[in-house]
Every structure is written in C-alpha cells, then in structure tokens.
Amino acid sequence: MSTNSARSTRLDASAPTQADTGVPTLDPSIAQRLKRNEAGLVPAIAQEATSRRVLMMAWMNDDALARTLATRKATYWSRSRQELWVKGETSGHTQAVRDVWLDCDGDTVLLSVDQVGAACHTGADTCFDAGGPLPLAGESVIAS
C-alpha cells in the first residue's frame, strides 16, 4: 500500500504505555479515528506481506490494537472466550506485523504480516481455503 493513498492511513507502530502497569494503551489520536461496532470492536484483516494473500479476519478492541502496535505481534479479541489472544501463542503459527493500516472510514484495520505456519485455526494456509469461491451470476462452482 502506498503511503500517499487517499483511501487508507498507515497507523504509527509505536503505542504509548501506561506508566504504572507497563501495558500498552492506544494513542488517543488513533482511538478517536476508529469506528467500532456495538461491542467496541473493529474487524482486522491479516494479509501476507510478500504475496498479499488475504489470510484471515479477526476482531480487535482498543487493547488488542495497542498491543499489536507496541509489540508487532498480531493480537486479537476472542469474542467466544472474551479475552485477548496473540496469534500463534499456542499453535506456533505466528504473525509478525510489518504495517498496520486504517481504512478510509476508520472501521477496518489491515495488518500486513509475515505468517509462520497456517493462518487458519483449521490448519489451512488461509481461512478462505476451506470456504472456497461462491458462484457469480452465469457461473457454476464445483464443490471441492
């Protein structure tokens, strides 16, 4: 992505830390630009930095985004477990973050990552392998 794109903005990879806890906090200038859903979350798309292949979609709250910016480790919010999780912490399939971008509406984050191992919890390279393509008008798709 070009840094002079009118459609997206690269987020600064430095996040201030809260002095008394050492836990990263989201810069207020970034926080005010985010448009969160009713649960306080924004979708985060992970894209492989070199191939540009879309790997997965997950959710981030302010804490997950702050930790991602501060550590360069993709950190997400688990809606089912109601907790933060660092990609690869248990599986070893990590995402080292190169860049983080905010879209033009402030409602989606794009992570450019170096993926190690499978991105999908199913073991697939991406979360879009198993679902496969959907048929467009005038086309048929053979189920795999």
Side-chain angles (χ1 to χ4, degrees), residues 99-111:
D99 290 298
V100 180
W101 296 79
L102 183 62
D103 81 338
C104 59
D105 295 323
D107 61 2
T108 305
V109 174
L110 175 66
L111 282 67

Side-chain angles (χ1 to χ4, degrees), residues 63-135:
D63 289 341
L65 181 55
R67 289 173 191 237
T68 298
L69 293 171
T71 65
R72 293 181 167 259
K73 294 179 183 178
T75 305
Y76 302 104
W77 176 254
S78 170
R79 295 178 302 163
S80 59
R81 296 187 314 267
Q82 294 290 295
E83 66 184 14
L84 293 171
W85 59 279
V86 178
K87 180 67 176 166
E89 199 168 60
T90 57
S91 69
H93 300 169
T94 60
Q95 293 177 344
V97 179
R98 285 195 191 185
D99 290 298
V100 180
W101 296 79
L102 183 62
D103 81 338
C104 59
D105 295 323
D107 61 2
T108 305
V109 174
L110 175 66
L111 282 67
S112 177
V113 303
D114 292 316
Q115 178 71 44
V116 174
C120 187
H121 69 282
T122 65
D125 287 343
T126 87
C127 291
F128 297 95
D129 287 344
L134 300 176

